[in-house]
Amino acid sequence: MKNQIKTQATVTGLKIKTSMVLLAAALIAMITPSAATARPPSETPTATLLVSGLEGTQGSTVGPDGALYVTESLEGRIWRVDPETGQVTTFASGLPPSLFGIGNGGVVDVAFIGKTAYALVTGVASDSGGTSVVGIYRVDGPASFTVLADIGEFNLLNPPTIPFHFDLPTGFQFAIETYRGGFLVTDANLNRVLRVTLDGEISVFIDFDNIVPTGLAVFGETVLMAEGGPDPHTPQTGKVVSFGPKSSTATEVASGVPWVLDLQFGLGRTLYALSFGTFDPNTELLNLAVPNTGALAKVNGDGTFTVVVQGLNQPTSLQFIGDDAYVVTLTGEIWKIDDL
C-alpha cells in the first residue's frame, strides 16, 4: 500500500528474546485455539449488507452507547450507525477531508475515552498540499473540534532513525486505539507506533523497518498490531505481531494472509484479522486491492490463519458487538457477519 492505505460478500540477550517469544505464544494460545483443536462452527458465517452509499469509509469503533461510529474521509465526517437497523446519522462533520480521494487521508479513524470521541486525521498538511493539522482532534460538538495532538509537527521534528524511504515527513497515520488512559497511533508511512497522552504529549512507542503498521488491538498491556507489509503485500508479509510497553522489537503471532489492515477480539477472546485483499501491481498507484478479494480470518494458536469469510470488497475496519462482526469497506459499505 505504499505506506498509505487503503465486503462483500531486536531485543538484546537471548534470554529476553526467548521470553518474549514464549509470552507471545502463551498469549495467542490463550486467546484463540489452534486450527487443529478448534471445533467447527455450528453454522456457516453469513454476511448481510447493513449500510451502503457512504464515501471513503475507513476506520470505526464501538461507542459508549453500543453503536458503530465510522469515519468517512471524503466528506470529513463521522457517522453513527445503528448496528441493528443500519440507520445512519451524522455524529460529527467539518473535519479535514481527503485531498486525493478514497484511501488517501482525511479523517481515517475514531476512538472514545468515556463519552468523548477523538478523530485521527492524516494526509492534510503542507507536505500533501494541504493547510490542516495532521493529528488527533477532540470532538467537542457536531461541528466543533480541538486539536489534541499535532502529530505532523512531532514527526517533522522527530523523523525516523531507521533508514527506509518515506514520502510524507508528517507521516501517514492509519489507526488509533485507546491505551492506558491515552492513545496508540500507527503510522504506515513512518513505520512506527506513537503514544499520545490526553495532555497531547507525543512519544515513539516502538519503531520498525518498512513493514507498514496498520490496525491495533490491546490485551491488558500487550499490544497486538496488524502489518500490511510493503509492496507487493504478499501473504508472507501480512502479519499479526505483539509487543509491550518495554519492547524494542515485535514478536510474530501469525502470518499467511495478504495486506492485513485490522484485528479485533470476538467472543471467547478469539482474535480475528481483516485482509484488504490481493495486490495487483497494475493498480499500485491507487493503493487498492483487487475488488472482492478481501477476507475475514481467525488467528490460530499455531501461527496460522483460517479464513472464515472471503470475497469482501476492500475491507478496512472490523468491530464486534456481541457475537456479530461488522466490516467497514473503503467502498462505502458496512457488512454484518453473524454465526461466527
Short mmCIF file of all heavy atoms in Angstrom, two decimals, residues 300-330:
data_model
loop_
_atom_site.label_atom_id
_atom_site.label_comp_id
_atom_site.label_asym_id
_atom_site.label_seq_id
_atom_site.Cartn_x
_atom_site.Cartn_y
_atom_site.Cartn_z
N ASN A 300 -5.07 -18.36 14.55
CA ASN A 300 -4.93 -19.62 15.27
C ASN A 300 -3.71 -19.60 16.18
O ASN A 300 -2.76 -18.86 15.95
CB ASN A 300 -4.80 -20.78 14.28
CG ASN A 300 -6.01 -20.89 13.37
OD1 ASN A 300 -7.14 -20.86 13.82
ND2 ASN A 300 -5.76 -21.02 12.07
N GLY A 301 -3.74 -20.44 17.20
CA GLY A 301 -2.66 -20.51 18.18
C GLY A 301 -1.37 -21.06 17.62
O GLY A 301 -0.31 -20.93 18.25
N ASP A 302 -1.41 -21.69 16.43
CA ASP A 302 -0.19 -22.24 15.84
C ASP A 302 0.45 -21.29 14.84
O ASP A 302 1.33 -21.67 14.09
CB ASP A 302 -0.49 -23.59 15.16
CG ASP A 302 -1.55 -23.49 14.07
OD1 ASP A 302 -2.03 -22.35 13.80
OD2 ASP A 302 -1.92 -24.53 13.50
N GLY A 303 -0.01 -20.02 14.83
CA GLY A 303 0.61 -19.02 13.96
C GLY A 303 0.06 -18.97 12.56
O GLY A 303 0.65 -18.34 11.68
N THR A 304 -1.07 -19.62 12.32
CA THR A 304 -1.72 -19.59 11.01
C THR A 304 -3.02 -18.81 11.08
O THR A 304 -3.47 -18.41 12.16
CB THR A 304 -2.01 -21.02 10.51
OG1 THR A 304 -2.96 -21.64 11.41
CG2 THR A 304 -0.73 -21.84 10.45
N PHE A 305 -3.62 -18.61 9.92
CA PHE A 305 -4.95 -18.02 9.83
C PHE A 305 -5.93 -19.04 9.26
O PHE A 305 -5.55 -19.88 8.43
CB PHE A 305 -4.95 -16.81 8.89
CG PHE A 305 -4.20 -15.61 9.39
CD1 PHE A 305 -2.92 -15.33 8.92
CD2 PHE A 305 -4.78 -14.74 10.30
CE1 PHE A 305 -2.23 -14.20 9.36
CE2 PHE A 305 -4.09 -13.62 10.75
CZ PHE A 305 -2.82 -13.35 10.28
N THR A 306 -7.17 -18.95 9.65
CA THR A 306 -8.24 -19.68 9.00
C THR A 306 -9.23 -18.67 8.44
O THR A 306 -9.82 -17.90 9.21
CB THR A 306 -8.97 -20.62 9.98
OG1 THR A 306 -8.06 -21.61 10.47
CG2 THR A 306 -10.15 -21.32 9.29
N VAL A 307 -9.40 -18.64 7.13
CA VAL A 307 -10.34 -17.71 6.51
C VAL A 307 -11.77 -18.18 6.81
O VAL A 307 -12.12 -19.32 6.55
CB VAL A 307 -10.11 -17.62 5.00
CG1 VAL A 307 -11.19 -16.78 4.33
CG2 VAL A 307 -8.74 -17.01 4.72
N VAL A 308 -12.57 -17.30 7.35
CA VAL A 308 -13.95 -17.65 7.68
C VAL A 308 -14.96 -16.97 6.76
O VAL A 308 -16.07 -17.48 6.57
CB VAL A 308 -14.28 -17.34 9.16
CG1 VAL A 308 -13.45 -18.22 10.09
CG2 VAL A 308 -14.02 -15.88 9.49
N VAL A 309 -14.60 -15.82 6.21
CA VAL A 309 -15.44 -15.14 5.21
C VAL A 309 -14.52 -14.60 4.14
O VAL A 309 -13.54 -13.92 4.44
CB VAL A 309 -16.26 -13.99 5.83
CG1 VAL A 309 -17.08 -13.28 4.75
CG2 VAL A 309 -17.19 -14.51 6.92
N GLN A 310 -14.81 -14.89 2.88
CA GLN A 310 -13.99 -14.38 1.79
C GLN A 310 -14.87 -13.62 0.80
O GLN A 310 -16.08 -13.59 0.93
CB GLN A 310 -13.23 -15.50 1.10
CG GLN A 310 -14.08 -16.62 0.58
CD GLN A 310 -13.22 -17.80 0.11
OE1 GLN A 310 -12.01 -17.73 0.03
NE2 GLN A 310 -13.88 -18.92 -0.21
N GLY A 311 -14.23 -13.01 -0.20
CA GLY A 311 -14.98 -12.25 -1.19
C GLY A 311 -15.39 -10.87 -0.73
O GLY A 311 -16.27 -10.25 -1.32
N LEU A 312 -14.75 -10.33 0.31
CA LEU A 312 -15.07 -9.00 0.79
C LEU A 312 -14.42 -7.95 -0.11
O LEU A 312 -13.31 -8.14 -0.61
CB LEU A 312 -14.60 -8.82 2.23
CG LEU A 312 -15.18 -9.79 3.27
CD1 LEU A 312 -14.53 -9.60 4.62
CD2 LEU A 312 -16.68 -9.62 3.38
N ASN A 313 -15.09 -6.84 -0.31
CA ASN A 313 -14.64 -5.84 -1.27
C ASN A 313 -13.88 -4.71 -0.58
O ASN A 313 -14.48 -3.77 -0.07
CB ASN A 313 -15.82 -5.27 -2.05
CG ASN A 313 -15.38 -4.43 -3.24
OD1 ASN A 313 -14.22 -4.47 -3.63
ND2 ASN A 313 -16.30 -3.68 -3.81
N GLN A 314 -12.55 -4.83 -0.52
CA GLN A 314 -11.65 -3.82 0.04
C GLN A 314 -12.04 -3.40 1.46
O GLN A 314 -12.28 -2.24 1.76
CB GLN A 314 -11.61 -2.60 -0.90
CG GLN A 314 -11.05 -2.96 -2.27
CD GLN A 314 -11.14 -1.85 -3.29
OE1 GLN A 314 -11.75 -0.81 -3.05
NE2 GLN A 314 -10.52 -2.05 -4.44
N PRO A 315 -12.11 -4.39 2.37
CA PRO A 315 -12.46 -4.09 3.77
C PRO A 315 -11.31 -3.42 4.50
O PRO A 315 -10.14 -3.76 4.28
CB PRO A 315 -12.75 -5.47 4.36
CG PRO A 315 -11.86 -6.39 3.58
CD PRO A 315 -11.85 -5.83 2.17
N THR A 316 -11.62 -2.48 5.36
CA THR A 316 -10.59 -1.70 6.07
C THR A 316 -10.69 -1.76 7.58
O THR A 316 -9.70 -1.53 8.27
CB THR A 316 -10.66 -0.22 5.65
OG1 THR A 316 -11.96 0.29 5.99
CG2 THR A 316 -10.44 -0.06 4.15
N SER A 317 -11.86 -2.03 8.12
CA SER A 317 -12.05 -1.92 9.57
C SER A 317 -13.01 -2.99 10.06
O SER A 317 -13.96 -3.35 9.37
CB SER A 317 -12.57 -0.53 9.92
OG SER A 317 -12.67 -0.36 11.33
N LEU A 318 -12.76 -3.46 11.29
CA LEU A 318 -13.53 -4.56 11.88
C LEU A 318 -13.90 -4.23 13.31
O LEU A 318 -13.08 -3.74 14.08
CB LEU A 318 -12.68 -5.84 11.84
CG LEU A 318 -13.20 -7.06 12.59
CD1 LEU A 318 -14.47 -7.61 11.92
CD2 LEU A 318 -12.12 -8.14 12.64
N GLN A 319 -15.16 -4.51 13.67
CA GLN A 319 -15.62 -4.36 15.05
C GLN A 319 -16.51 -5.54 15.40
O GLN A 319 -17.12 -6.16 14.52
CB GLN A 319 -16.42 -3.06 15.24
CG GLN A 319 -15.65 -1.80 14.97
CD GLN A 319 -14.49 -1.58 15.91
OE1 GLN A 319 -14.52 -1.98 17.07
NE2 GLN A 319 -13.45 -0.92 15.40
N PHE A 320 -16.60 -5.84 16.71
CA PHE A 320 -17.52 -6.85 17.20
C PHE A 320 -18.50 -6.22 18.18
O PHE A 320 -18.11 -5.43 19.04
CB PHE A 320 -16.78 -7.99 17.90
CG PHE A 320 -16.22 -9.03 16.97
CD1 PHE A 320 -14.97 -8.85 16.39
CD2 PHE A 320 -16.95 -10.17 16.66
CE1 PHE A 320 -14.46 -9.80 15.52
CE2 PHE A 320 -16.46 -11.12 15.80
CZ PHE A 320 -15.21 -10.95 15.22
N ILE A 321 -19.75 -6.56 18.02
CA ILE A 321 -20.78 -6.21 19.01
C ILE A 321 -21.49 -7.51 19.34
O ILE A 321 -22.17 -8.10 18.49
CB ILE A 321 -21.77 -5.17 18.47
CG1 ILE A 321 -21.03 -3.88 18.11
CG2 ILE A 321 -22.87 -4.90 19.50
CD1 ILE A 321 -21.93 -2.81 17.51
N GLY A 322 -21.31 -8.01 20.56
CA GLY A 322 -21.83 -9.33 20.89
C GLY A 322 -21.15 -10.38 20.04
O GLY A 322 -19.93 -10.40 19.89
N ASP A 323 -21.95 -11.26 19.42
CA ASP A 323 -21.37 -12.29 18.58
C ASP A 323 -21.45 -11.94 17.10
O ASP A 323 -21.28 -12.81 16.24
CB ASP A 323 -22.06 -13.64 18.83
CG ASP A 323 -23.56 -13.58 18.63
OD1 ASP A 323 -24.08 -12.49 18.31
OD2 ASP A 323 -24.20 -14.63 18.81
N ASP A 324 -21.71 -10.67 16.80
CA ASP A 324 -21.76 -10.22 15.42
C ASP A 324 -20.54 -9.38 15.08
O ASP A 324 -20.11 -8.55 15.88
CB ASP A 324 -23.02 -9.39 15.15
CG ASP A 324 -24.29 -10.18 15.31
OD1 ASP A 324 -24.29 -11.38 14.92
OD2 ASP A 324 -25.29 -9.63 15.81
N ALA A 325 -19.99 -9.60 13.89
CA ALA A 325 -18.88 -8.80 13.39
C ALA A 325 -19.40 -7.78 12.40
O ALA A 325 -20.36 -8.04 11.67
CB ALA A 325 -17.83 -9.69 12.71
N TYR A 326 -18.77 -6.62 12.39
CA TYR A 326 -19.15 -5.56 11.45
C TYR A 326 -17.90 -5.16 10.67
O TYR A 326 -16.89 -4.78 11.26
CB TYR A 326 -19.74 -4.36 12.20
CG TYR A 326 -21.05 -4.68 12.87
CD1 TYR A 326 -21.07 -5.30 14.13
CD2 TYR A 326 -22.26 -4.39 12.25
CE1 TYR A 326 -22.27 -5.62 14.74
CE2 TYR A 326 -23.47 -4.71 12.86
CZ TYR A 326 -23.47 -5.32 14.11
OH TYR A 326 -24.66 -5.64 14.70
N VAL A 327 -18.00 -5.26 9.36
CA VAL A 327 -16.87 -4.97 8.48
C VAL A 327 -17.17 -3.70 7.69
O VAL A 327 -18.20 -3.62 7.01
CB VAL A 327 -16.59 -6.14 7.53
CG1 VAL A 327 -15.52 -5.76 6.52
CG2 VAL A 327 -16.16 -7.38 8.31
N VAL A 328 -16.28 -2.72 7.78
CA VAL A 328 -16.41 -1.47 7.03
C VAL A 328 -15.51 -1.56 5.81
O VAL A 328 -14.36 -2.01 5.90
CB VAL A 328 -15.98 -0.27 7.91
CG1 VAL A 328 -16.03 1.03 7.11
CG2 VAL A 328 -16.89 -0.17 9.13
N THR A 329 -16.02 -1.15 4.66
CA THR A 329 -15.23 -1.22 3.44
C THR A 329 -14.91 0.17 2.93
O THR A 329 -15.64 1.13 3.16
CB THR A 329 -15.97 -1.99 2.32
OG1 THR A 329 -16.97 -1.15 1.73
CG2 THR A 329 -16.62 -3.25 2.87
N LEU A 330 -13.82 0.24 2.18
CA LEU A 330 -13.41 1.50 1.57
C LEU A 330 -14.43 1.99 0.56
O LEU A 330 -14.49 3.17 0.23
CB LEU A 330 -12.04 1.33 0.91
CG LEU A 330 -11.19 2.57 0.67
CD1 LEU A 330 -10.84 3.26 1.98
CD2 LEU A 330 -9.92 2.21 -0.09
#
